[in-house]
mmCIF file with all atom_site columns, all heavy atoms in Angstrom:
data_model
loop_
_atom_site.group_PDB
_atom_site.id
_atom_site.type_symbol
_atom_site.label_atom_id
_atom_site.label_alt_id
_atom_site.label_comp_id
_atom_site.label_asym_id
_atom_site.label_entity_id
_atom_site.label_seq_id
_atom_site.pdbx_PDB_ins_code
_atom_site.Cartn_x
_atom_site.Cartn_y
_atom_site.Cartn_z
_atom_site.occupancy
_atom_site.B_iso_or_equiv
_atom_site.pdbx_formal_charge
_atom_site.auth_seq_id
_atom_site.auth_comp_id
_atom_site.auth_asym_id
_atom_site.auth_atom_id
_atom_site.pdbx_PDB_model_num
ATOM 1   N N   . THR A 1 14 ? -7.616  43.462 27.156 1.00 46.00 ? 14 THR A N   1
ATOM 2   C CA  . THR A 1 14 ? -6.485  44.213 27.702 1.00 46.00 ? 14 THR A CA  1
ATOM 3   C C   . THR A 1 14 ? -6.451  45.616 27.129 1.00 46.00 ? 14 THR A C   1
ATOM 4   O O   . THR A 1 14 ? -6.280  46.600 27.837 1.00 46.00 ? 14 THR A O   1
ATOM 5   C CB  . THR A 1 14 ? -5.164  43.504 27.360 1.00 46.00 ? 14 THR A CB  1
ATOM 6   O OG1 . THR A 1 14 ? -5.337  42.136 27.536 1.00 46.00 ? 14 THR A OG1 1
ATOM 7   C CG2 . THR A 1 14 ? -4.032  44.018 28.222 1.00 46.00 ? 14 THR A CG2 1
ATOM 8   N N   . PHE A 1 15 ? -6.616  45.662 25.816 1.00 44.00 ? 15 PHE A N   1
ATOM 9   C CA  . PHE A 1 15 ? -6.527  46.969 25.171 1.00 44.00 ? 15 PHE A CA  1
ATOM 10  C C   . PHE A 1 15 ? -7.694  47.864 25.575 1.00 44.00 ? 15 PHE A C   1
ATOM 11  O O   . PHE A 1 15 ? -7.532  49.053 25.749 1.00 44.00 ? 15 PHE A O   1
ATOM 12  C CB  . PHE A 1 15 ? -6.457  46.809 23.661 1.00 44.00 ? 15 PHE A CB  1
ATOM 13  C CG  . PHE A 1 15 ? -5.133  46.273 23.228 1.00 44.00 ? 15 PHE A CG  1
ATOM 14  C CD1 . PHE A 1 15 ? -5.031  45.278 22.280 1.00 44.00 ? 15 PHE A CD1 1
ATOM 15  C CD2 . PHE A 1 15 ? -3.966  46.773 23.796 1.00 44.00 ? 15 PHE A CD2 1
ATOM 16  C CE1 . PHE A 1 15 ? -3.799  44.781 21.906 1.00 44.00 ? 15 PHE A CE1 1
ATOM 17  C CE2 . PHE A 1 15 ? -2.731  46.282 23.416 1.00 44.00 ? 15 PHE A CE2 1
ATOM 18  C CZ  . PHE A 1 15 ? -2.645  45.278 22.467 1.00 44.00 ? 15 PHE A CZ  1
ATOM 19  N N   . LYS A 1 16 ? -8.839  47.221 25.751 1.00 40.00 ? 16 LYS A N   1
ATOM 20  C CA  . LYS A 1 16 ? -9.985  48.009 26.224 1.00 40.00 ? 16 LYS A CA  1
ATOM 21  C C   . LYS A 1 16 ? -9.690  48.592 27.597 1.00 40.00 ? 16 LYS A C   1
ATOM 22  O O   . LYS A 1 16 ? -9.967  49.732 27.898 1.00 40.00 ? 16 LYS A O   1
ATOM 23  C CB  . LYS A 1 16 ? -11.224 47.109 26.308 1.00 40.00 ? 16 LYS A CB  1
ATOM 24  C CG  . LYS A 1 16 ? -12.114 47.198 25.082 1.00 40.00 ? 16 LYS A CG  1
ATOM 25  C CD  . LYS A 1 16 ? -13.326 46.319 25.299 1.00 40.00 ? 16 LYS A CD  1
ATOM 26  C CE  . LYS A 1 16 ? -13.966 45.996 23.965 1.00 40.00 ? 16 LYS A CE  1
ATOM 27  N NZ  . LYS A 1 16 ? -14.923 44.900 24.104 1.00 40.00 ? 16 LYS A NZ  1
ATOM 28  N N   . HIS A 1 17 ? -9.076  47.756 28.421 1.00 43.00 ? 17 HIS A N   1
ATOM 29  C CA  . HIS A 1 17 ? -8.790  48.150 29.793 1.00 43.00 ? 17 HIS A CA  1
ATOM 30  C C   . HIS A 1 17 ? -7.790  49.305 29.840 1.00 43.00 ? 17 HIS A C   1
ATOM 31  O O   . HIS A 1 17 ? -7.962  50.276 30.566 1.00 43.00 ? 17 HIS A O   1
ATOM 32  C CB  . HIS A 1 17 ? -8.243  46.939 30.545 1.00 43.00 ? 17 HIS A CB  1
ATOM 33  C CG  . HIS A 1 17 ? -8.113  47.152 32.006 1.00 43.00 ? 17 HIS A CG  1
ATOM 34  N ND1 . HIS A 1 17 ? -9.220  47.295 32.838 1.00 43.00 ? 17 HIS A ND1 1
ATOM 35  C CD2 . HIS A 1 17 ? -7.022  47.260 32.811 1.00 43.00 ? 17 HIS A CD2 1
ATOM 36  C CE1 . HIS A 1 17 ? -8.807  47.487 34.072 1.00 43.00 ? 17 HIS A CE1 1
ATOM 37  N NE2 . HIS A 1 17 ? -7.471  47.467 34.095 1.00 43.00 ? 17 HIS A NE2 1
ATOM 38  N N   . THR A 1 18 ? -6.728  49.167 29.039 1.00 44.00 ? 18 THR A N   1
ATOM 39  C CA  . THR A 1 18 ? -5.687  50.184 29.076 1.00 44.00 ? 18 THR A CA  1
ATOM 40  C C   . THR A 1 18 ? -6.003  51.372 28.178 1.00 44.00 ? 18 THR A C   1
ATOM 41  O O   . THR A 1 18 ? -5.255  52.321 28.134 1.00 44.00 ? 18 THR A O   1
ATOM 42  C CB  . THR A 1 18 ? -4.342  49.599 28.638 1.00 44.00 ? 18 THR A CB  1
ATOM 43  O OG1 . THR A 1 18 ? -4.537  49.015 27.351 1.00 44.00 ? 18 THR A OG1 1
ATOM 44  C CG2 . THR A 1 18 ? -3.839  48.549 29.593 1.00 44.00 ? 18 THR A CG2 1
ATOM 45  N N   . GLY A 1 19 ? -7.046  51.232 27.465 1.00 41.00 ? 19 GLY A N   1
ATOM 46  C CA  . GLY A 1 19 ? -7.375  52.317 26.547 1.00 41.00 ? 19 GLY A CA  1
ATOM 47  C C   . GLY A 1 19 ? -6.818  52.071 25.163 1.00 41.00 ? 19 GLY A C   1
ATOM 48  O O   . GLY A 1 19 ? -7.296  52.666 24.204 1.00 41.00 ? 19 GLY A O   1
ATOM 49  N N   . GLY A 1 20 ? -5.819  51.224 25.057 1.00 48.00 ? 20 GLY A N   1
ATOM 50  C CA  . GLY A 1 20 ? -5.325  50.841 23.742 1.00 48.00 ? 20 GLY A CA  1
ATOM 51  C C   . GLY A 1 20 ? -4.327  51.819 23.178 1.00 48.00 ? 20 GLY A C   1
ATOM 52  O O   . GLY A 1 20 ? -4.274  52.982 23.545 1.00 48.00 ? 20 GLY A O   1
ATOM 53  N N   . ASN A 1 21 ? -3.543  51.292 22.301 1.00 56.00 ? 21 ASN A N   1
ATOM 54  C CA  . ASN A 1 21 ? -2.490  52.066 21.684 1.00 56.00 ? 21 ASN A CA  1
ATOM 55  C C   . ASN A 1 21 ? -2.381  51.584 20.258 1.00 56.00 ? 21 ASN A C   1
ATOM 56  O O   . ASN A 1 21 ? -2.428  50.390 20.002 1.00 56.00 ? 21 ASN A O   1
ATOM 57  C CB  . ASN A 1 21 ? -1.190  51.790 22.470 1.00 56.00 ? 21 ASN A CB  1
ATOM 58  C CG  . ASN A 1 21 ? 0.004   52.493 21.886 1.00 56.00 ? 21 ASN A CG  1
ATOM 59  O OD1 . ASN A 1 21 ? 0.242   52.426 20.688 1.00 56.00 ? 21 ASN A OD1 1
ATOM 60  N ND2 . ASN A 1 21 ? 0.743   53.155 22.732 1.00 56.00 ? 21 ASN A ND2 1
ATOM 61  N N   . VAL A 1 22 ? -2.280  52.475 19.337 1.00 60.00 ? 22 VAL A N   1
ATOM 62  C CA  . VAL A 1 22 ? -2.276  52.063 17.931 1.00 60.00 ? 22 VAL A CA  1
ATOM 63  C C   . VAL A 1 22 ? -1.157  51.071 17.666 1.00 60.00 ? 22 VAL A C   1
ATOM 64  O O   . VAL A 1 22 ? -1.334  50.044 17.012 1.00 60.00 ? 22 VAL A O   1
ATOM 65  C CB  . VAL A 1 22 ? -2.130  53.291 17.015 1.00 60.00 ? 22 VAL A CB  1
ATOM 66  C CG1 . VAL A 1 22 ? -2.114  52.854 15.564 1.00 60.00 ? 22 VAL A CG1 1
ATOM 67  C CG2 . VAL A 1 22 ? -3.244  54.275 17.255 1.00 60.00 ? 22 VAL A CG2 1
ATOM 68  N N   . LEU A 1 23 ? 0.004   51.311 18.226 1.00 62.00 ? 23 LEU A N   1
ATOM 69  C CA  . LEU A 1 23 ? 1.156   50.427 18.011 1.00 62.00 ? 23 LEU A CA  1
ATOM 70  C C   . LEU A 1 23 ? 0.919   49.061 18.632 1.00 62.00 ? 23 LEU A C   1
ATOM 71  O O   . LEU A 1 23 ? 1.106   48.024 18.001 1.00 62.00 ? 23 LEU A O   1
ATOM 72  C CB  . LEU A 1 23 ? 2.400   51.084 18.614 1.00 62.00 ? 23 LEU A CB  1
ATOM 73  C CG  . LEU A 1 23 ? 3.715   50.384 18.284 1.00 62.00 ? 23 LEU A CG  1
ATOM 74  C CD1 . LEU A 1 23 ? 4.096   50.635 16.849 1.00 62.00 ? 23 LEU A CD1 1
ATOM 75  C CD2 . LEU A 1 23 ? 4.805   50.843 19.233 1.00 62.00 ? 23 LEU A CD2 1
ATOM 76  N N   . LEU A 1 24 ? 0.444   49.043 19.932 1.00 57.00 ? 24 LEU A N   1
ATOM 77  C CA  . LEU A 1 24 ? 0.280   47.772 20.631 1.00 57.00 ? 24 LEU A CA  1
ATOM 78  C C   . LEU A 1 24 ? -0.834  46.920 20.033 1.00 57.00 ? 24 LEU A C   1
ATOM 79  O O   . LEU A 1 24 ? -0.709  45.709 19.946 1.00 57.00 ? 24 LEU A O   1
ATOM 80  C CB  . LEU A 1 24 ? -0.014  48.020 22.114 1.00 57.00 ? 24 LEU A CB  1
ATOM 81  C CG  . LEU A 1 24 ? 1.198   48.427 22.954 1.00 57.00 ? 24 LEU A CG  1
ATOM 82  C CD1 . LEU A 1 24 ? 0.772   48.743 24.365 1.00 57.00 ? 24 LEU A CD1 1
ATOM 83  C CD2 . LEU A 1 24 ? 2.256   47.334 22.952 1.00 57.00 ? 24 LEU A CD2 1
ATOM 84  N N   . THR A 1 25 ? -1.905  47.575 19.667 1.00 61.00 ? 25 THR A N   1
ATOM 85  C CA  . THR A 1 25 ? -2.995  46.775 19.108 1.00 61.00 ? 25 THR A CA  1
ATOM 86  C C   . THR A 1 25 ? -2.572  46.095 17.818 1.00 61.00 ? 25 THR A C   1
ATOM 87  O O   . THR A 1 25 ? -3.059  45.015 17.494 1.00 61.00 ? 25 THR A O   1
ATOM 88  C CB  . THR A 1 25 ? -4.236  47.633 18.793 1.00 61.00 ? 25 THR A CB  1
ATOM 89  O OG1 . THR A 1 25 ? -3.819  48.817 18.164 1.00 61.00 ? 25 THR A OG1 1
ATOM 90  C CG2 . THR A 1 25 ? -5.063  47.890 20.020 1.00 61.00 ? 25 THR A CG2 1
ATOM 91  N N   . THR A 1 26 ? -1.681  46.718 17.099 1.00 75.00 ? 26 THR A N   1
ATOM 92  C CA  . THR A 1 26 ? -1.290  46.109 15.827 1.00 75.00 ? 26 THR A CA  1
ATOM 93  C C   . THR A 1 26 ? -0.278  44.990 16.006 1.00 75.00 ? 26 THR A C   1
ATOM 94  O O   . THR A 1 26 ? -0.141  44.144 15.126 1.00 75.00 ? 26 THR A O   1
ATOM 95  C CB  . THR A 1 26 ? -0.697  47.151 14.874 1.00 75.00 ? 26 THR A CB  1
ATOM 96  O OG1 . THR A 1 26 ? 0.201   47.964 15.602 1.00 75.00 ? 26 THR A OG1 1
ATOM 97  C CG2 . THR A 1 26 ? -1.774  47.958 14.205 1.00 75.00 ? 26 THR A CG2 1
ATOM 98  N N   . ILE A 1 27 ? 0.414   44.927 17.146 1.00 77.00 ? 27 ILE A N   1
ATOM 99  C CA  . ILE A 1 27 ? 1.435   43.873 17.308 1.00 77.00 ? 27 ILE A CA  1
ATOM 100 C C   . ILE A 1 27 ? 0.800   42.494 17.196 1.00 77.00 ? 27 ILE A C   1
ATOM 101 O O   . ILE A 1 27 ? 1.255   41.636 16.437 1.00 77.00 ? 27 ILE A O   1
ATOM 102 C CB  . ILE A 1 27 ? 2.155   44.025 18.668 1.00 77.00 ? 27 ILE A CB  1
ATOM 103 C CG1 . ILE A 1 27 ? 3.087   45.232 18.583 1.00 77.00 ? 27 ILE A CG1 1
ATOM 104 C CG2 . ILE A 1 27 ? 2.967   42.766 18.991 1.00 77.00 ? 27 ILE A CG2 1
ATOM 105 C CD1 . ILE A 1 27 ? 3.844   45.496 19.856 1.00 77.00 ? 27 ILE A CD1 1
#
Side-chain angles (χ1 to χ4, degrees):
Chain A
T14 318
F15 288 136
K16 264 182 200 166
H17 189 68
T18 55
N21 177 311
V22 179
L23 189 73
L24 284 176
T25 44
T26 44
I27 287 180

